[in-house]
């Protein structure tokens, strides 16, 4: 689409299913007994990577583009993959699947794209090795022709599962991917496995694994799990992804004369920091028809054009909005007064270094954004102009800067629009349907 400020946005939309919940529904369904049926599954490239990895391990998964049917083979029913498991761009696939592979008595090799080959995996190697699995990372330059060991701690890597024993893991990072990997390995371990995080991260694994019949306990920032003889397949309706809704929240708030109703959005409190941030910035948005679907809180979100002001974001709020920081930073650039984002070092190890990607692109549009080691500060109140955006092939940078471009004078051009297919393949179609 042409990215200029000539539109306003009206109407209602349903954003695609939640990425985190879609991944988990495939993984947990694959290791359960019987059928798991998933509706409103996110048909994004990341979740399709998860499907293809389990298909390579012998799981029958039918996907008609709307619902997905997973014929689970039980906790010990995966077969050794005969090819490399291709995780594509997906950190969630890589880290969560490793927790399951740690409990399998075979060896698997995982690899992904250029971005995944840079992302830190020692954070899962460390606890899963303590539990009894073995990891080896390989030199990407010569892989797969010659397998040279490295100490890089990134993909490509191999996992040799073993007889695991439970541990208590004090995680140095608030990461749902680390927590989930350890809890999934805990299903296969002897004794109790628990994880304590510095700050609570998203809890979809705890909620959904309980629904499949696992014994999971949570207290504060600690989650624990007991080894399980079997899990039972479930019917799951995936709520709309609040991380995808975030672009429409920002679009509705920033664009004059706009009103957008976003239907069926998951508002789990471990994910909904974007709502608090938008309210703190003076945004006019309200939650309608709050309800619970498949164990997750859901609401419709009504957004109206607003005059925003700057805010401070940090501490315990960070994991609740970590994926939304690119779009929050865009909102901050259009808001009056300064915004400070701190305690968000994790941004540097996402699909791209998002501290660099956000600040460089905002500055290219005429904002004043200063990077910091753990976040950034944004002056606010500047008039933004169109620019050439370097997305780094990062879906969330592409979508955030599309919204920025729709509110900046002149034309904005992205170097790659196709990366939105990682989490939101219909993003541009959905924007155009609301534009007038
Ligand atoms: C996710 C956890 C978060 C998030 C990612 C999805 C998950 O990553 O950024 O997009 O589904 O568990 P971390 O666990 O690395 O914080």
């Amino acid at each position: 689409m042409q990215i200029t400020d000539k539109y306003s946005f009206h109407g209602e939309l349903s954003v695609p299913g939640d990425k985190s919940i879609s991944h988990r529904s495939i993984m947990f369904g694959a290791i359960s007994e019987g059928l798991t049926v998933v509706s409103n599954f996110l048909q994004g490239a990341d979740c399709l990577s998860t499907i293809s990895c389990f298909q390579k391990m012998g799981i029958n998964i039918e996907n008609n583009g709307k619902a997905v049917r997973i014929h689970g083979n039980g906790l010990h029913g995966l077969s050794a993959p005969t090819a490399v498991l291709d995780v594509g761009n997906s950190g969630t696939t890589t880290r969560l699947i490793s927790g399951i592979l740690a409990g399998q008595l075979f060896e698997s090799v995982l690899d992904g794209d250029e971005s995944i080959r840079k992302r830190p995996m020692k954070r899962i190697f460390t606890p899963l090795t303590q539990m009894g699995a073995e990891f080896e990372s390989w030199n990407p330059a010569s892989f797969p022709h010659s397998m040279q060991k490295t100490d890089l701690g990134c993909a490509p890597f191999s996992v040799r599962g073993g007889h695991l024993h439970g541990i208590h893991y004090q995680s140095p990072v608030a990461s749902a991917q680390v927590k989930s990997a350890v809890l999934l390995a805990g299903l296969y371990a002897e004794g109790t496995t628990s994880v304590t995080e510095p700050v609570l991260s998203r809890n979809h694994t705890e909620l959904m694994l309980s629904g499949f019949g696992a014994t999971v306990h949570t207290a504060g920032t600690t989650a624990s799990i007991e080894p399980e003889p079997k899990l039972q397949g479930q019917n799951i309706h995936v709520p709309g992804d609040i991380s995808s809704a975030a672009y429409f929240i920002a679009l509705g708030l920033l664009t004059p004369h706009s009103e957008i109703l976003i239907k069926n959005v998951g508002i789990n409190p471990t994910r909904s920091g974007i709502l608090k941030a938008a309210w703190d910035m003076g945004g006019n948005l309200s939650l309608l028809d709050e309800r619970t679907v498949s164990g997750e809180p859901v609401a419709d979100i009504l957004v109206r054009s607003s005059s925003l002001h700057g805010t401070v974001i940090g501490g315990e709020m960070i994991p609740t909005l970590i994926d939304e920081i690119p779009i929050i930073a865009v909102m901050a650039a259009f808001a009056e007064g300064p915004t400070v984002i701190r305690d968000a070092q994790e941004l540097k190890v996402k699909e791209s270094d998002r501290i660099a990607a956000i600040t460089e692109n905002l500055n290219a549009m005429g904002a004043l954004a200063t990077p910091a080691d753990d976040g950034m500060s944004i002056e606010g109140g500047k008039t933004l102009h169109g620019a050439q955006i370097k997305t780094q092939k990062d879906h969330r940078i592409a979508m955030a800067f599309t919204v920025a471009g729709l509110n900046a004078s002149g034309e904005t051009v992205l170097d790659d629009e196709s990366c939105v297919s990682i989490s939101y393949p219909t993003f541009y179609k959905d924007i155009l349907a609301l534009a007038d």
Side-chain angles (χ1 to χ4, degrees):
M1 78 181 288
Q2 200 193 8
I3 307 176
T4 67
D5 63 348
K6 67 178 187 193
Y7 306 100
S8 60
F9 299 93
H10 289 98
E12 60 176 66
L13 87 155
S14 295
V15 291
D18 187 276
K19 183 157 80 68
S20 294
I21 296 176
S22 295
H23 279 298
R24 286 160 173 79
S25 66
I26 300 297
M27 297 191 187
F28 304 171
I31 57 170
S32 294
E33 314 269 327
L35 186 65
T36 289
V37 180
V38 189
S39 52
N40 201 36
F41 178 82
L42 171 61
Q43 301 284 342
D46 269 12
C47 298
L48 299 179
S49 295
T50 291
I51 290 186
S52 100
C53 287
F54 280 93
Q55 286 172 329
K56 278 193 185 145
M57 292 191 284
I59 302 298
N60 177 4
I61 302 175
E62 301 163 83
N63 180 4
N64 68 7
K66 285 200 173 352
V68 178
R69 293 162 63 85
I70 306 137
H71 300 267
N73 227 1
L75 279 163
H76 299 281
L78 300 176
S79 48
T82 50
V84 172
L85 297 174
D86 182 359
V87 297
N89 187 247
S90 175
T92 309
T93 309
T94 314
R95 297 197 179 108
L96 268 63
I97 217 173
S98 295
I100 295 174
L101 295 174
Q104 311 302 318
L105 298 179
F106 54 73
E107 188 175 72
S108 339
V109 182
L110 287 82
D111 195 13
D113 69 6
E114 221 184 300
S115 154
I116 213 79
R117 284 179 163 198
K118 292 194 196 118
R119 296 184 68 184
M121 294 299 153
K122 281 187 184 162
R123 55 177 62 194
I124 53 161
F125 297 173
T126 300
L128 297 175
T129 303
Q130 285 172 18
M131 293 177 79
E134 286 171 38
F135 289 83
E136 203 72 74
S137 63
W138 305 103
N139 182 350
S142 57
F143 181 87
H145 313 293
S146 92
M147 306 276 278
Q148 292 166 4
K149 288 183 188 179
T150 66
D151 191 33
L152 290 172
C154 296
F157 65 87
S158 50
V159 195
R160 180 177 289 281
H163 293 285
L164 306 181
H165 53 85
I167 57 167
H168 172 68
Y169 188 59
Q170 187 81 39
S171 178
V173 278
S175 160
Q177 295 178 0
V178 171
K179 171 173 63 177
S180 302
V182 175
L183 293 176
L184 284 164
L187 285 170
Y188 297 91
E190 221 179 281
T192 306
T193 297
S194 56
V195 189
T196 301
E197 312 183 81
V199 174
L200 186 66
S201 66
R202 65 191 65 191
N203 64 358
H204 305 301
T205 294
E206 296 90 302
L207 293 177
M208 200 192 285
L209 267 183
S210 300
F212 276 80
T215 310
V216 180
H217 294 290
T218 56
T221 62
T222 299
S224 60
I225 194 162
E226 301 302 324
E228 207 62 53
K230 69 181 182 108
L231 302 177
Q232 193 57 51
Q234 298 293 311
N235 288 335
I236 292 170
H237 184 79
V238 181
D241 196 329
I242 192 164
S243 299
S244 299
Y247 305 103
F248 290 89
I249 291 174
L251 193 66
L253 294 177
L254 292 177
T255 318
H257 316 296
S258 296
E259 181 174 307
I260 305 176
L261 179 66
I262 316 166
K263 306 271 287 177
N264 304 318
V265 183
I267 54 161
N268 179 318
T270 63
R271 291 287 299 285
S272 58
I274 174 71
L275 301 178
K276 181 169 185 315
W279 279 316
D280 286 350
M281 295 176 87
N284 181 347
L285 71 165
S286 33
L287 298 183
L288 310 176
D289 193 14
E290 290 187 48
R291 55 211 184 263
T292 300
V293 179
S294 295
E296 291 276 351
V298 171
D300 302 337
I301 304 176
L302 181 63
V303 191
R304 295 196 177 102
S305 317
S306 304
S307 297
L308 301 182
H309 51 78
T311 188
V312 176
I313 297 172
E316 292 184 359
M317 211 173 158
I318 292 296
T320 71
L321 47 63
I322 186 74
D323 292 341
E324 288 66 73
I325 290 178
I327 190 63
I328 290 171
V330 165
M331 284 161 53
F334 286 98
E336 274 307 314
T339 290
V340 177
I341 300 172
R342 55 171 82 108
D343 307 318
Q345 298 85 341
E346 280 294 298
L347 289 175
K348 289 194 277 195
V349 290
K350 293 294 178 189
E351 287 83 332
S352 67
D353 173 347
R354 287 186 178 158
I355 294 180
I358 293 167
T359 52
E360 282 166 19
N361 284 314
L362 278 180
N363 290 336
M365 297 184 83
L368 192 60
T370 310
D373 186 52
D374 68 342
M376 65 199 74
S377 52
I378 297 160
E379 196 166 281
K382 300 258 183 256
T383 309
L384 266 57
H385 53 75
Q388 304 277 335
I389 299 298
K390 293 184 183 138
T391 61
Q392 314 292 345
K393 295 196 166 72
D394 179 335
H395 55 133
R396 300 209 190 279
I397 298 297
M399 291 188 277
F401 281 89
T402 297
V403 174
L406 289 168
N407 281 279
S409 63
E411 195 171 88
T412 292
V413 179
L414 272 53
D415 61 2
D416 177 35
E417 284 176 13
S418 67
C419 58
V420 305
S421 67
I422 291 293
S423 63
Y424 199 157
T426 56
F427 180 66
Y428 289 102
K429 183 171 140 275
D430 288 359
I431 290 190
L432 278 171
L434 298 174
D436 41 41

